[in-house]
Amino acid sequence: MLKSKTFLKKTRAGGVMKIVREHYLRDDIGCGAPGCAACGGAHEGPALEPQPQDPASSLCPRPHYLLPDTNVLLHQIVSAWRPGTWASVASSLRLPGSLETYVEQEQGENANDRNDRAIRVAAKWYNEHLKNVSAENQLQVIFITNDRKNKEKAVEEGIPAFTCEEYVKSLTANPELIDRLACLSDEGNEIESGKVIFTEHLPLSKLQQGIKSGTYLQGTFRASRENYLEATVWIHGDSEENKEIIIQGLKHLNRAIHEDIVAVELFPKSQWVAPSSVVLHDEGLNEDDVEKEEEKEQMLKTAVSEKMLKPTGRVVGIIKRNWRPYCGMLSKSGIKESRRHLFTPADKRIPRIRIETRQASTLEGRRIIVAIDGWPRNSRYPNGHFVKNLGDVGEKETETEVLLLEHDVPHQPFSQAVLSFLPKMPWSITERDMKNREDLRHLCVCSVDPPGCTDIDDALHCRELENGNLEVGVHIADVSHFIRPGNALDQESARRGTTVYLCEKRIDMVPELLSSNLCSLRSNVDRLAFSCIWEMNHNAEILNTRFTKSVINSKASLTYAEAQMRIDSAAMNDDITTSLRGLNKLAKILKKRRIEKGALTLSSPEVRFHMDSETHDPIDLQTKELRETNSMVEEFMLLANISVAKKIHEEFSEHALLRKHPAPPPSNYEILVKAAKSKNLEIKTDTAKSLADSLDRAESPTFPYLNTLLRILATRCMMQAVYFCSGMDNDFHHYGLASPIYTHFTSPIRRYADIIVHRLLAVAIGADCTYPELTDKHKLADICKNLNFRHKMAQYAQRASVAFHTQLFFKSKGIVSEEAYILFVRKNAIVVLIPKYGLEGTVFFEEKDKPKPRLVYDDEIPSLKVEDTVFHIFDKVKVKIMLDSSNLQHQKIRMSLVEPQIPGISISTDNSNMDPKEPERKKMKLKK
């Protein structure tokens, strides 16, 4: 049946346009209930359960389906409902097209009221219709709404209707579900008689007007990890002016939460401040004890030079909340029988959350998930509700789950829909596979990787040609052969974006059959590859480049150490070793030439854990050793990536997926320049070349580790490298590599960006056909945005995994004293690096319940004077390292100063086996 509506609309040119809207109403949509006589068993989409599970509701004793209204679905969707309770939302998404349930908007009726009426009509229709399913007339549809008027109208119309809270409270068999209800609104959940702390957020209409007029600025709110009373708002738009705005103080932060899109009001320059150098963590003060916060805010204020001041402002409204479920722990209330408790998130950038639960005793000492519902003006903390219990704190499985969830790493098992697109086993290369593919199985190809690597992306070969030149090949796993555009396997790989490597676990981007088997370039098996082959002279100058799909058979899968041993051994002269020596010789020339052009050689301490074979706990921790072979592989991967970038940009000037590394703004280098100056060294930062040269010159005969420290500090000054679409950007330059163009081609097993690049290259050389999304720059830009996010989250997850395993290591090792170097000085602390472990930590000079030492901070040098001892960046100190378990939520490596000796501050070395809590116990005895 067709229903139409006609109306007239005035055009911009002054004409009148007739618009006809048509609704096609069907009478053949089944209700979804199996065995329905009226529908004849016809269903489109998933059917309802034949007999819904009885949820033991005291309000609705009969078996029933639930039909929630839109707001209930939106607000309660994150709650972990018992399977079956919400199992069937009664086909409401299909009902608007059904002849029996179509509802036309009445004159004077707004869209929300029309939608409410439509759901009530659907509920009434279902209750009448379901009489056909069961002769006993047992089945019922219950309408769930939190809208008082909507519920009243439903009851008047004879529809069984309850609020969400009423229904959940009626589930007598599951009383704990009440904890998982979201609070309805900020206003309805304000603390009784609490005074107003925050200013009211402006309505969205006023914010939009203000942003349009320039009164307000829109940006992303980024909370500080080190100081809970400070945040930065990154302003959206192309303007370079006021790109970052500092927000300081609880009231100016005004209930914004990390990653929210906010509107800020910029203060006049007379009110601008400098970023704080104080390390401040929220100690969970009483909810209405805001005076102590104001005391802490005074610590943020300090006299600094005018050039240190940054644009400063306050949050005036929220444009978009970007809340997610948060992992953390319950801080149980000290009030007996209290249902109201504070939840402390694992992420220090998220404020504590006030929740109500009857399960506090059960949840104490466990990792849980909580969702935020709102943040009233008179509450120190936001309101939320309990979602899920993850397990005991400190257990490996629980902590791994937490860090994956906190960094939004997709880690669920691959679905059957995804796995259905994998090749059927046993798999072998067919004649069809060999189409547009070269047979390179005769070449002496080998791979060089870290020990234990099973997802081998790349292999290499080098041989002398008859004309005296050298042929060098980089052979990369042909993952795009197995993952075809648009299918479920491709979509899941695109969503994951990257493989995530944790200390004991790998979260694959693609299923294991591909990552560790069919795509992995293992030795002595035929594998499909995408090859980049150069003809070079002996001075590593490229004479010719070609790309081809290929089939290879690797002659050896070597570790970096095994490859290095072959190169160094005079007794070995076989084809594999000869190939490796040729590659190593060329790689050294390529690296020298790259550095001469201005490529940076930076440093970042990486650690390797040695695990106990039975307990899988870390028993040793050391920094990774880098060999010549690491550099050899890296040079040819870089060369392949640059060669491929040039090729795909030549063919697809608007649609190439490239990678750039922006040059840091001069302000980023201030700390590096000051640190070098304190050691009478000059670092020039006007170009990458001048930075590289001055880092090379920054040597000290009496302090050999200084150059490494400078390079570590230089790494911290860098911007993040990002993927982008060539048609959406003009700046292609890769600052760190000093290359005008760059991409990622060499790791398609673990990076989705490389799969897209493989597809572009395959089309460019005629080895595969294109598809619409490949040449849509807007869709490519969206892919890049997701890849940049996933890549960043993967890095954070890896660091969190290293931090957790470091804690496990020091838990078993006890207290140790080690030499360290100062990386940064703060107002009340020094940040040190311990070379032996590649470990970074903070030594605080102000501790709770201890006399405060005399501290003088100088930002210009920079230095920190503690009593009569002055600390500068790169100074050598000795610290004591121990695991501090006093806060289960944030167990951390605690560092205390041993040398230089400062009375009342430094710790002696004779208590190396002391329990971290022992000093506190001694104090308690003295007090007694």
Side-chain angles (χ1 to χ4, degrees):
M1 180 181 171
L2 174 66
K3 277 200 169 198
S4 64
K5 195 174 185 179
T6 306
F7 58 95
L8 303 175
K9 184 181 178 183
K10 193 175 180 180
T11 65
R12 283 186 179 179
V16 176
M17 184 165 52
K18 183 180 179 183
I19 295 175
V20 179
R21 282 198 179 151
E22 296 179 337
H23 288 277
Y24 292 88
L25 301 178
R26 293 170 55 182
D27 59 3
D28 60 343
I29 301 176
C31 70
C36 175
C39 295
H43 305 302
E44 277 193 11
L48 299 171
E49 293 179 17
Q51 190 72 12
Q53 292 180 27
D54 181 5
S57 166
S58 59
L59 288 174
C60 321
R62 287 158 50 185
H64 54 271
Y65 297 113
L66 295 177
L67 184 57
D69 72 7
T70 315
N71 284 324
V72 168
L73 270 179
L74 287 172
H75 292 129
Q76 304 294 347
I77 201 78
V78 295
S79 296
W81 295 100
R82 186 180 62 144
T85 306
W86 290 104
S88 300
V89 178
S91 306
S92 56
L93 296 177
R94 294 186 286 126
L95 288 170
S98 170
L99 184 62
E100 296 94 337
T101 57
Y102 174 71
V103 170
E104 206 163 324
Q105 192 168 345
E106 295 173 351
Q107 197 166 358
E109 186 179 43
N110 65 36
N112 279 339
D113 289 345
R114 182 257 164 213
N115 289 342
D116 287 344
R117 188 160 57 86
I119 297 172
R120 292 198 304 273
V121 167
K124 192 166 187 177
W125 178 84
Y126 255 106
N127 273 318
E128 288 297 318
H129 184 84
L130 288 177
K131 292 174 183 176
N132 301 302
V133 177
S134 170
E136 294 82 25
N137 189 21
Q138 287 289 307
L139 283 175
Q140 203 177 16
V141 165
I142 305 297
F143 180 40
I144 304 292
T145 179
N146 288 326
D147 186 316
R148 183 174 51 82
K149 287 182 180 177
N150 199 9
K151 182 193 166 191
E152 286 171 1
K153 286 180 182 177
V155 173
E156 283 171 17
E157 293 166 15
I159 303 164
F162 303 101
T163 66
C164 202
E165 187 174 354
E166 286 170 342
Y167 180 78
V168 172
K169 280 183 174 176
S170 79
L171 302 176
T172 50
N174 296 84
E176 76 284 354
L177 283 181
I178 193 69
D179 290 352
R180 305 187 185 195
L181 276 178
C183 299
L184 298 182
S185 68
D186 288 357
E187 292 74 24
N189 290 277
E190 297 193 347
I191 302 166
E192 297 82 354
S193 69
K195 68 175 185 179
V196 172
I197 301 169
F198 302 101
T199 56
E200 194 170 355
H201 288 148
L202 296 178
L204 192 57
S205 56
K206 280 195 176 179
L207 295 178
Q208 288 169 336
Q209 287 171 11
I211 290 164
K212 198 173 181 181
S213 67
T215 307
Y216 306 130
L217 298 167
Q218 177 179 322
T220 303
F221 184 89
R222 302 272 169 82
S224 167
R225 288 179 190 273
E226 291 192 333
N227 188 338
Y228 76 103
L229 293 175
E230 183 171 274
T232 304
V233 175
W234 289 79
I235 301 304
H236 301 169
D238 300 325
S239 172
E240 289 302 312
E241 191 181 1
N242 300 332
K243 198 71 183 166
E244 275 181 61
I245 295 179
I246 291 174
I247 315 288
Q248 276 189 1
L250 191 67
K251 292 178 181 178
H252 291 157
L253 296 172
N254 199 7
R255 296 171 288 157
I257 291 174
H258 185 65
E259 293 294 343
D260 282 351
I261 308 298
V262 299
V264 295
E265 178 185 44
L266 187 65
F267 290 155
K269 284 194 174 182
S270 59
Q271 295 180 40
W272 287 11
V273 299
S276 172
S277 298
V278 178
V279 180
L280 276 182
H281 295 145
D282 186 358
E283 293 166 357
L285 299 171
N286 190 295
E287 289 179 8
D288 11 63
D289 191 359
V290 185
E291 285 73 17
K292 286 190 180 178
E293 306 284 7
E294 290 169 358
E295 285 175 27
K296 288 188 176 184
E297 286 175 22
Q298 292 304 312
M299 293 175 67
L300 306 180
K301 296 171 184 175
T302 182
V304 291
S305 64
E306 196 172 322
K307 66 178 183 179
M308 296 297 292
L309 301 177
K310 304 285 184 187
T312 308
R314 70 183 182 102
V315 173
V316 293
I318 309 294
I319 293 163
K320 187 190 174 199
R321 288 291 194 189
N322 277 325
W323 297 342
R324 58 178 175 83
Y326 300 103
C327 300
M329 288 182 69
L330 195 72
S331 303
K332 193 179 172 187
S333 170
I335 303 168
K336 199 176 178 183
E337 303 298 322
S338 175
R339 290 182 179 179
R340 184 176 286 171
H341 309 273
L342 280 178
F343 164 82
T344 305
D347 187 342
K348 290 183 179 178
R349 295 169 300 184
I350 308 300
R352 284 174 159 82
I353 302 164
R354 185 160 54 92
I355 69 167
E356 289 193 24
T357 178
R358 294 150 184 78
Q359 306 173 67
S361 299
T362 309
L363 299 178
E364 199 175 12
R366 297 175 79 82
R367 293 283 192 187
I368 62 173
I369 297 177
V370 161
I372 296 177
D373 300 322
W375 196 339
R377 289 174 60 200
N378 63 352
S379 172
R380 169 66 184 83
Y381 299 111
N383 294 326
H385 65 274
F386 166 70
V387 173
K388 190 180 180 184
N389 183 347
L390 294 174
D392 289 330
V393 68
E395 284 191 358
K396 270 194 213 172
E397 294 76 12
T398 303
E399 297 302 331
T400 301
E401 179 75 5
V402 167
L403 74 86
L404 291 172
L405 288 168
E406 277 297 289
H407 297 100
D408 199 9
V409 175
H411 58 285
Q412 298 75 19
F414 290 98
S415 69
Q416 282 306 310
V418 169
L419 298 175
S420 68
F421 286 95
L422 293 174
K424 301 294 179 281
M425 297 300 286
W427 175 85
S428 60
I429 297 170
T430 64
E431 278 187 36
R432 187 180 173 190
D433 294 332
M434 291 303 296
K435 191 182 176 186
N436 299 321
R437 197 177 288 276
E438 278 188 50
D439 191 340
L440 302 179
R441 283 175 283 196
H442 60 287
L443 293 176
C444 186
V445 172
C446 68
S447 63
V448 184
D449 290 283
C453 179
T454 60
D455 53 343
I456 303 172
D457 282 292
D458 54 89
L460 299 152
H461 89 271
C462 176
R463 63 173 181 166
E464 192 160 341
L465 299 172
E466 289 180 1
N467 61 8
N469 291 327
L470 298 170
E471 180 187 84
V472 176
V474 166
H475 310 276
I476 305 300
D478 189 4
V479 182
S480 63
H481 173 85
F482 297 95
I483 301 180
R484 303 308 296 165
N487 66 25
L489 177 56
D490 181 46
Q491 289 171 4
E492 181 62 17
S493 304
R495 186 176 77 91
R496 294 186 177 217
T498 181
T499 292
V500 181
Y501 294 91
L502 306 180
C503 292
E504 281 189 276
K505 192 173 186 178
R506 188 180 79 201
I507 313 296
D508 281 328
M509 182 185 80
V510 299
E512 191 178 15
L513 179 65
L514 296 183
S515 66
S516 296
N517 188 351
L518 302 185
C519 291
S520 185
L521 304 182
R522 301 188 300 187
S523 56
N524 303 313
V525 288
D526 293 347
R527 286 292 178 258
L528 301 180
F530 209 148
S531 301
C532 174
I533 299 171
W534 303 278
E535 183 180 343
M536 293 181 177
N537 60 25
H538 287 263
N539 198 30
E541 292 165 330
I542 298 170
L543 307 174
N544 182 38
T545 306
R546 69 188 183 94
F547 308 97
T548 180
K549 291 245 182 177
S550 61
V551 57
I552 65 167
N553 188 299
S554 173
K555 303 301 182 278
S557 298
L558 305 173
T559 64
Y560 291 116
E562 287 168 345
Q564 191 68 54
M565 186 193 70
R566 281 174 173 268
I567 291 168
D568 296 341
S569 171
M572 300 190 78
N573 291 293
D574 56 277
D575 289 347
I576 294 170
T577 306
T578 303
S579 176
L580 287 169
R581 286 183 184 137
L583 289 165
N584 197 39
K585 184 182 174 184
L586 292 169
K588 288 178 181 178
I589 299 169
L590 289 168
K591 185 172 184 177
K592 184 172 180 288
R593 196 173 293 150
R594 239 180 4 92
I595 290 169
E596 284 169 358
K597 286 181 181 176
L600 296 172
T601 306
L602 301 177
S603 183
S604 184
E606 287 188 72
V607 296
R608 180 180 296 283
F609 292 95
H610 294 276
M611 302 293 183
D612 186 286
S613 58
E614 291 182 10
T615 65
H616 297 285
D617 285 338
I619 52 175
D620 195 13
L621 169 64
Q622 56 190 212
T623 51
K624 288 183 183 176
E625 183 186 350
L626 296 178
R627 297 176 170 84
E628 272 187 5
T629 44
N630 291 79
S631 179
M632 176 190 80
V633 173
E634 182 186 14
E635 285 307 314
F636 286 107
M637 296 306 111
L638 293 174
L639 190 62
N641 287 335
I642 291 168
S643 297
V644 170
K646 289 175 182 174
K647 179 66 176 177
I648 62 173
H649 185 246
E650 280 171 17
E651 295 291 329
F652 302 99
S653 60
E654 291 285 300
H655 312 114
L657 190 154
L658 302 175
R659 186 163 175 83
K660 68 172 182 174
H661 182 214
S667 59
N668 279 31
Y669 286 124
E670 283 177 7
I671 188 70
L672 175 66
V673 172
K674 286 178 182 178
K677 192 177 178 183
S678 72
K679 297 298 177 189
N680 300 314
L681 295 168
E682 184 185 16
I683 298 289
K684 292 184 178 178
T685 61
D686 46 328
T687 65
K689 172 72 174 158
S690 60
L691 174 62
D693 289 345
S694 53
L695 283 171
D696 286 342
R697 289 193 297 270
E699 298 280 357
S700 170
T702 58
F703 188 1
Y705 197 64
L706 176 62
N707 190 263
T708 303
L709 288 168
L710 282 166
R711 291 182 191 276
I712 290 170
L713 206 54
T715 306
R716 310 292 172 90
C717 301
M718 294 297 127
M719 304 290 282
Q720 185 81 36
V722 291
Y723 297 109
F724 69 102
C725 172
S726 59
M728 307 287 278
D729 208 323
N730 296 320
D731 177 20
F732 292 9
H733 190 73
H734 197 293
Y735 179 81
L737 297 174
S739 176
I741 194 166
Y742 191 68
T743 193
H744 273 163
F745 164 75
T746 53
S747 296
I749 293 176
R750 60 185 177 93
R751 290 190 306 232
Y752 188 76
D754 303 52
I755 292 177
I756 296 289
V757 169
H758 276 226
R759 289 172 181 169
L760 288 163
L761 184 61
V763 174
I765 65 170
D768 206 343
C769 52
T770 188
Y771 57 98
E773 287 78 11
L774 195 63
T775 52
D776 184 330
K777 63 183 182 182
H778 296 287
K779 288 193 176 169
L780 205 56
D782 287 340
I783 289 171
C784 289
K785 186 179 178 182
N786 178 59
L787 294 177
N788 290 330
F789 172 73
R790 293 295 181 202
H791 183 71
K792 183 172 69 174
M793 289 298 106
Q795 283 184 322
Y796 291 159
Q798 286 157 16
R799 288 175 199 166
S801 180
V802 169
F804 174 63
H805 281 78
T806 303
Q807 289 173 12
L808 290 179
F809 171 71
F810 281 105
K811 187 177 182 179
S812 60
K813 194 168 181 67
I815 301 173
V816 296
S817 295
E818 291 293 344
E819 287 183 345
Y821 294 96
I822 298 174
L823 277 183
F824 303 101
V825 291
R826 303 283 188 237
K827 269 188 183 178
N828 58 345
I830 54 173
V831 179
V832 300
L833 174 74
I834 299 165
K836 181 177 177 180
Y837 300 122
L839 179 65
E840 201 175 303
T842 305
V843 177
F844 289 96
F845 295 116
E846 287 182 335
E847 289 192 42
K848 202 176 177 183
D849 304 325
K850 277 191 177 182
K852 288 188 177 182
R854 189 162 32 90
L855 302 176
V856 181
Y857 175 71
D858 186 337
D859 187 64
E860 284 299 312
I861 297 179
S863 68
L864 177 66
K865 187 175 183 182
V866 183
E867 297 296 340
D868 296 320
T869 304
V870 182
F871 293 96
H872 298 92
I873 292 180
F874 302 149
D875 281 359
K876 190 177 182 180
V877 295
K878 192 170 188 179
V879 296
K880 186 164 286 186
I881 314 161
M882 58 187 135
L883 179 67
D884 182 356
S885 302
S886 58
N887 181 345
L888 275 177
Q889 164 73 336
H890 291 121
Q891 291 191 55
K892 59 188 177 186
I893 301 298
R894 185 172 146 204
M895 295 188 186
S896 304
L897 188 70
V898 175
E899 293 174 6
Q901 279 287 325
I902 304 174
I905 300 289
S906 300
I907 294 175
S908 62
T909 53
D910 59 0
N911 57 350
S912 57
N913 294 315
M914 186 187 287
D915 181 84
K917 292 181 182 176
E918 193 62 32
E920 294 300 320
R921 292 193 191 114
K922 283 184 179 177
K923 271 190 197 173
M924 288 168 71
K925 285 177 184 175
L926 286 170
K927 283 178 185 174
K928 286 177 184 176

